[in-house]
């Protein structure tokens, strides 16, 4: 009974948040970013065009989303690191091979993580740095930042040349479950959002960061910056063992 009351009050909270007018879709709602502030960010590219984001795990390993790698051929993939622009500067390194999580499901985006091995090591420096994986799961309300070269408006087809960042908050999993169909949001997912702010198409695979640690990987969402739905990220805390093991063995 108490559970029901809690559920109902959360539901009415979610309902009231739906009544606000829909903000303009615009990394939606973000600002241009300098790679020096996000030196772990890379652009994953297919035949030299930006495909997805990713994060530097060490000088030879990149962490990204499984759905970015699905049905791809490693020989057509490269990454650009160390630049605020996806199409110039920094360094470009080809992909040697990649591995997708064994339990990744393209139907429901569960375990949306993969690791990439580069053909040669990245020249680490102030603009090219690994990011540590979180060892705790951040609670709802925790401030987080997401970066990427994804579209700045839902439905847009042109990517911003310069990296964008946007500040979000972690969304409590139960709230997120109530926004989506209850069983869509699994414990290996973590939600984040803010009014008029979100990641969007082209940001996938990129980093959701709390206190300089990787807590999420851009995965999916209903539209972008919808007032009704949070963005959904692969939950690094739950996937961290897989990432560490496969970064070593790939
Ligand atoms: N799947 C998208 C991509 O491939 C990312 C979508 C993120 N959506 C969101 N509303 N946060 O780039």
């Amino acid at each position: 009974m108490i559970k029901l009351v809690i559920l109902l009050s959360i539901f009415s909270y979610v309902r009231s948040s739906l009544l606000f007018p829909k903000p303009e879709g615009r990394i939606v709602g973000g600002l241009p970013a300098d790679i020096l502030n996000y030196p772990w960010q890379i652009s994953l590219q297919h035949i030299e065009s930006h495909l997805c984001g990713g994060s530097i795990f060490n000088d030879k390993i990149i962490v990204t989303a499984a759905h970015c790698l699905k049905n791809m051929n490693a020989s057509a993939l490269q990454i650009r690191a160390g630049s605020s622009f996806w199409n110039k500067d920094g360094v470009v390194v080809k992909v040697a091979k990649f591995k997708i999580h064994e339990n990744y499901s393209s139907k429901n985006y569960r375990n949306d993580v993969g690791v990439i091995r580069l053909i040669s090591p990245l020249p680490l420096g102030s603009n090219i740095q690994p990011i540590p994986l979180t060892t705790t799961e951040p609670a709802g309300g925790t401030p987080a930042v997401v970066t990427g070269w994804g579209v700045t408006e839902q439905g847009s087809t042109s990517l911003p040349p310069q990296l964008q960042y946007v500040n979000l908050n972690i969304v409590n999993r139960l709230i997120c479950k109530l926004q989506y169909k209850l069983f869509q949001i699994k414990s290996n997912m973590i939600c984040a959002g803010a009014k008029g702010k979100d990641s969007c198409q082209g940001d996938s695979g990129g980093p959701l960061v709390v206190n300089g640690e990787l807590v999420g990987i851009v995965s999916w969402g209903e539209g972008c910056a919808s007032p009704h739905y949070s963005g959904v990220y692969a939950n690094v805390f739950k996937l961290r063992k897989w990432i560490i093991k496969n970064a070593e063995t790939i």
Side-chain angles (χ1 to χ4, degrees):
M1 182 60 194
I2 292 179
K3 269 194 183 156
L4 184 65
V5 172
I6 294 175
L7 256 166
L8 283 176
S9 58
I10 292 176
F11 187 60
S12 65
Y13 164 81
V14 172
R15 277 289 294 269
S16 65
S17 72
L18 300 189
L19 298 176
F20 292 114
K22 195 175 178 191
E24 161 198 2
R26 267 191 313 108
I27 276 161
V28 186
L31 289 168
D34 189 323
I35 196 71
L36 289 170
N37 296 324
Y38 307 94
W40 47 79
Q41 171 88 50
I42 61 94
S43 159
L44 174 62
Q45 314 194 332
H46 180 246
I47 331 182
E48 298 183 10
S49 27
H50 175 83
L51 171 72
C52 272
S55 302
I56 300 171
F57 178 78
N58 65 33
D59 62 352
K60 289 181 213 80
I61 303 289
I62 303 296
V63 178
T64 188
H67 81 263
C68 295
L69 298 169
K70 192 82 192 171
N71 301 322
M72 288 288 166
N73 198 324
S75 63
L77 296 175
Q78 62 182 33
I79 67 131
R80 187 184 297 273
S83 175
S84 305
F85 301 88
W86 71 263
N87 56 356
K88 64 169 190 189
D89 303 339
V91 294
V92 172
V93 181
K94 293 208 166 297
V95 168
K97 52 176 161 169
F98 62 75
K99 183 166 178 195
I100 291 175
H101 194 294
E102 296 79 357
N103 299 119
Y104 166 65
S105 158
S106 43
K107 267 220 312 261
N108 47 36
Y109 284 68
R110 289 182 197 160
N111 304 298
D112 194 5
V113 63
V115 287
I116 290 172
R117 174 172 285 277
L118 302 173
I119 57 157
S120 57
L122 290 166
L124 299 183
S126 57
N127 56 342
I128 305 183
Q129 278 295 318
I131 184 166
L133 307 180
T134 188
T135 52
T136 57
E137 184 171 318
T142 307
V145 60
V146 64
T147 43
W149 287 277
V151 295
T152 54
E153 247 176 294
Q154 190 189 330
S156 164
T157 49
S158 65
L159 297 174
Q162 183 165 356
L163 187 66
Q164 306 278 306
Y165 80 92
V166 70
N167 294 315
L168 306 172
N169 295 298
I170 302 297
V171 173
N172 172 283
R173 185 170 291 103
L174 182 52
I175 305 264
C176 193
K177 280 189 187 211
L178 293 171
Q179 295 172 340
Y180 287 95
K181 294 188 188 113
L182 271 180
F183 300 106
Q184 258 176 329
I185 306 297
K186 293 292 173 186
S187 63
N188 56 39
M189 300 175 188
I190 186 165
C191 301
K195 198 167 180 242
K197 297 175 176 184
D198 199 2
S199 48
C200 202
Q201 268 55 50
D203 291 319
S204 277
L208 177 71
V209 173
V210 170
N211 291 330
E213 294 184 337
L214 190 67
V215 305
I217 299 168
V218 181
S219 182
W220 62 281
E222 179 63 48
C224 301
S226 158
H228 308 188
Y229 296 98
S230 299
V232 188
Y233 297 75
N235 186 358
V236 170
F237 174 64
K238 282 287 160 66
L239 298 166
R240 135 187 192 96
K241 281 204 181 119
W242 186 91
I243 296 171
I244 293 169
K245 178 169 163 245
N246 287 277
E248 277 169 11
T249 52
I250 186 184

